[in-house]
Amino acid sequence: MVTVRNSDSHFENPEPGSYPATCYKIIDLGTQEGEYQGKTIKRRQVIIGWELAEKMTNGDPFVASAFYTASLSEKSKLRPMLESWRGSAFTPEELDGFDLGKLLGKSCLISLVLNEKQKTKVGGASKMPKGLTGPVLINKIVHLDLDKFDQATFDGLSDKIKDMIKRSPEYALVGRPAYAVTSEEEPPEEASGEEVLF
């Protein structure tokens, strides 16, 4: 494993590669402001997190997560990741609205790669090969949907993530109708006949 150190902390990083993993976290961040090609843009964003079968030296499982724009447009990075994970393309009906909560408890192979700071990040996900199973979750499932707000789940998040969510207009409008990923166009971001997993 890659071990990263700085003056304030010491933490373990799994080595780049592919790992069996199970989704345990979906966090709706609401609409976040960012920049694309010099212009300010606003995008609904989510965090998807996985628990890896690989363990740290203390016996706890490694976890990995990634930020995604909540869009199933062809230019999004969420759509190809999900289609690779499930092993099939989305149907037109599914593109009209897909509930990300369906991912919780589902397993896949997570690809981890190194970023410029030599920390691992999620490079992609693919369908679990036959005969291989994902880890049984040790971490508690975390699911925050701003349209079905749960205060206890929100309170359990890190201060940094809570601060991001508090900046979103959705946080100010807690209790609105259910939110689902749509195929609405978003700015670009960095088929088998088998059973569809979700």
Side-chain angles (χ1 to χ4, degrees):
M1 75 191 58
V2 179
T3 301
V4 181
R5 293 181 176 86
N6 64 31
S7 58
D8 299 320
S9 64
H10 170 220
F11 58 91
E12 296 175 50
N13 224 5
E15 292 183 3
S18 294
Y19 298 91
T22 300
C23 181
Y24 81 101
K25 178 169 61 177
I26 305 285
I27 299 174
D28 177 5
L29 296 173
T31 301
Q32 298 292 320
E33 191 172 289
E35 187 177 305
Y36 177 70
Q37 294 183 343
K39 295 182 180 179
T40 299
I41 58 170
K42 294 182 179 182
R43 301 177 290 190
R44 186 102 182 223
Q45 292 190 304
V46 296
I47 297 173
I48 301 177
W50 294 266
E51 181 180 303
L52 279 59
E54 188 80 2
K55 299 288 195 293
M56 295 186 283
T57 54
N58 68 1
D60 292 338
F62 282 106
V63 294
S65 60
F67 287 75
Y68 295 94
T69 295
S71 169
L72 291 180
S73 77
E74 292 183 354
K75 294 180 180 179
S76 74
K77 71 174 187 175
L78 180 61
R79 180 173 172 178
M81 185 277 287
L82 292 178
E83 290 183 334
S84 175
W85 180 352
R86 65 190 248 149
S88 66
F90 284 105
T91 66
E93 294 77 20
E94 289 171 325
L95 290 174
D96 283 338
F98 178 75
D99 179 7
L100 288 176
K102 293 180 180 181
L103 304 176
L104 293 165
K106 297 292 191 296
S107 297
C108 62
L109 279 183
I110 284 291
S111 172
L112 299 181
V113 296
L114 285 179
N115 66 13
E116 64 280 354
K117 296 180 180 178
Q118 299 302 298
K119 289 179 62 178
T120 53
K121 69 174 187 173
V122 176
S126 58
K127 190 172 181 177
M128 191 74 76
K130 286 185 178 180
L132 190 61
T133 58
V136 175
L137 290 175
I138 294 173
N139 287 294
K140 179 182 174 184
I141 285 181
V142 178
H143 186 200
L144 182 73
D145 182 337
L146 291 180
D147 296 323
K148 299 175 185 175
F149 189 75
D150 180 76
Q151 187 68 50
T153 300
F154 179 80
D155 291 343
L157 302 176
S158 71
D159 289 342
K160 182 177 179 180
I161 296 300
K162 285 191 284 192
D163 287 344
M164 286 183 70
I165 293 170
K166 286 177 182 178
R167 291 194 299 265
S168 73
E170 290 82 6
Y171 181 76
L173 301 172
V174 165
R176 289 292 170 111
Y179 138 73
V181 178
T182 70
S183 57
E184 180 181 326
E185 286 296 316
E186 292 284 346
E189 298 183 61
E190 306 184 3
S192 74
E194 297 178 14
E195 177 186 0
V196 175
L197 298 176
F198 47 80

